Amino acid sequence: MMIDDIDMVNIRNIDLNLLTVLDVLLAERNVSRAAERLNLSQPAVSGALKRLRGSFKDPLFVRAQQGMRPTPFALGLIAPLKSVLQDIDTIFATTEFDADTADITFAVAATDYAQTTFLAPLMSSVNRFAPNIRFSVVSTDGRRLPEQLDRQEIDFAVTVPEMAPRGAPYAELFEDRYVCAIDANHPLAGKRLKLDQFCKLDHVLVTPSSDGFFGPTDEALAKLGRERRVAVTIPNFLSLPSILRNSDFIAVAPERVLLPFAEELAIFPAPLSLSPVKMIGVWHELSDRSPAHVWLRGRMTEVATAMK
DNA sequence: ACGTTCCTTAGGAAGTAAAA
DNA sequence: TTTTACTTCCTAAGGAACGT
């Protein structure tokens, strides 16, 4: 066996394809059949075997009556070879994303507003493409958000730009405008509400953080030198329709969260100009290139586009 | 003796990496 | 950027082992 005329190959430069060839050769014990399985010509596999012989400094196979007989050294390589090829498969499996089989959980921080308006259609879309993906949704606290992202406790958050940690990658998702809602049977329902009347009513304010009775509406009013009385603050939108129903309360809230209740509530524009709510998706820089995240962000963009 | 099977070698094409 | 060297593939042909 001519193995001494082959340049010694630096083991670090070994072509990993050679290991695949060796693996198939050990299984087939026949160069022609191995070539067929590898989609190579028979001489190509013969050449690969020659290079393997040079790398291992062992004949690896000797010709036998039927095909090739592995040397004891080659037989000893079977187990470690299987193991290392398995590891290589794993490495590549985790760097690719296959929606059909992906079995992962995304942890998402979102307010109930973001949950009903955006996460609901997103989950339905994701579930169609990737039935094994799960979502773990947690409520957001703006103050904890940077820390949660940093510790990878959450994969992304759906929130307003003000809450996003500085420098974190994000994508604009959708906008919503503020409208007023009042009980459909209220005397002022359906009327064009004047600012004076608006300020005299008792207001319900939805604010995730219990930091007082001051929200964006109060800010806008203050700029006009006006103010209103916030009678109730609640931490989420779930109970808002119930509170407004059969009461004299009024609320200013994003339109998308109110529209499902258009029968019981009168929904109309606010008598003052309010900047719209901008919702964004935020994630950590470390996740930026993760194939699963990239895939999910693709679905997020689709859902957001459909909402426009 | 001859055909079949199957591995090796020879020589050229194509692609890539290093050197000029 | 061009030239050179190297690698690995291919097809074609050679050769050993074996059965008829």
Side-chain angles (χ1 to χ4, degrees):
Chain A
M1 201 57 60
M2 305 287 282
I3 57 169
D4 42 16
D5 62 335
I6 304 213
D7 292 346
M8 186 50 203
V9 184
N10 181 340
I11 194 68
R12 288 179 199 279
N13 293 335
I14 195 165
D15 178 357
L16 290 180
N17 291 315
L18 289 179
L19 296 184
T20 310
V21 171
L22 181 55
D23 183 52
V24 174
L25 276 171
L26 282 164
E28 294 288 348
R29 306 195 176 183
N30 175 305
V31 174
S32 298
R33 284 202 302 275
E36 203 172 318
R37 248 175 73 176
L38 292 159
N39 286 316
L40 290 176
S41 70
Q42 181 273 319
V45 175
S46 177
L49 177 55
K50 189 175 179 179
R51 275 170 263 136
L52 280 162
R53 285 169 170 158
S55 297
F56 285 108
K57 292 187 166 162
D58 184 273
L60 298 172
F61 295 89
V62 291
R63 291 192 64 160
Q65 286 83 356
Q66 297 286 312
M68 307 286 268
R69 187 159 46 83
T71 63
F73 177 79
L75 288 171
L77 290 175
I78 292 177
L81 205 51
K82 286 268 178 255
S83 157
V84 79
L85 289 175
Q86 178 82 55
D87 285 348
I88 290 168
D89 280 349
T90 311
I91 288 168
F92 283 98
T94 55
T95 53
E96 280 177 15
F97 180 80
D98 179 8
D100 285 336
T101 59
D103 184 11
I104 48 175
T105 300
F106 287 114
V108 188
T111 58
D112 69 329
Y113 167 72
Q115 288 170 39
T116 49
T117 55
F118 184 72
L119 288 188
L122 177 68
M123 286 164 184
S124 144
S125 159
V126 166
N127 188 248
R128 248 196 315 281
F129 290 108
N132 294 321
I133 284 185
R134 300 193 296 180
F135 282 97
S136 161
V137 181
V138 298
S139 51
T140 41
D141 178 336
R143 282 174 281 265
R144 276 255 302 143
L145 191 55
E147 187 193 342
Q148 285 175 304
L149 279 171
D150 209 44
R151 293 186 178 184
Q152 313 248 289
E153 287 172 16
I154 55 173
D155 294 296
F156 71 94
V158 181
T159 183
V160 292
E162 298 78 57
M163 298 282 196
R166 288 172 56 83
Y170 71 95
E172 288 177 10
L173 296 177
F174 63 96
E175 288 193 4
D176 206 349
R177 62 184 185 123
Y178 278 113
V179 293
C180 294
I182 202 166
D183 182 76
N185 300 315
H186 193 280
L188 290 172
K191 302 253 170 62
R192 191 178 163 78
L193 199 64
K194 298 218 174 54
L195 188 57
D196 279 340
Q197 297 169 297
F198 175 82
C199 290
K200 276 182 193 148
L201 287 161
D202 279 341
H203 286 250
V204 181
L205 170 64
V206 180
T207 172
S209 45
S210 55
D211 52 7
F213 295 85
F214 200 82
T217 310
D218 304 277
E219 217 170 297
L221 282 172
K223 280 190 186 145
L224 300 170
R226 309 292 295 260
E227 58 177 1
R228 64 171 180 172
R229 179 173 180 270
V230 174
V232 180
T233 71
I234 48 176
N236 54 56
F237 290 97
L238 178 64
S239 56
L240 182 61
S242 310
I243 293 175
L244 294 175
R245 222 156 26 217
N246 305 317
S247 80
D248 292 329
F249 293 129
I250 188 173
V252 176
E255 187 172 25
R256 292 177 197 275
V257 83
L258 292 172
L259 280 180
F261 303 95
E263 308 235 324
E264 314 134 64
L265 302 175
I267 297 162
F268 52 93
L272 74 164
S273 142
L274 294 164
S275 18
V277 197
K278 271 193 179 170
M279 294 303 284
I280 60 168
V282 203
W283 56 94
H284 193 279
E285 206 181 344
L286 286 173
S287 315
D288 204 43
R289 287 170 192 274
S290 150
H293 277 253
V294 171
W295 181 86
L296 180 65
R297 297 203 298 268
R299 301 285 84 68
M300 288 168 71
T301 309
E302 281 175 12
V303 169
T305 308
M307 286 173 68
K308 294 253 160 74

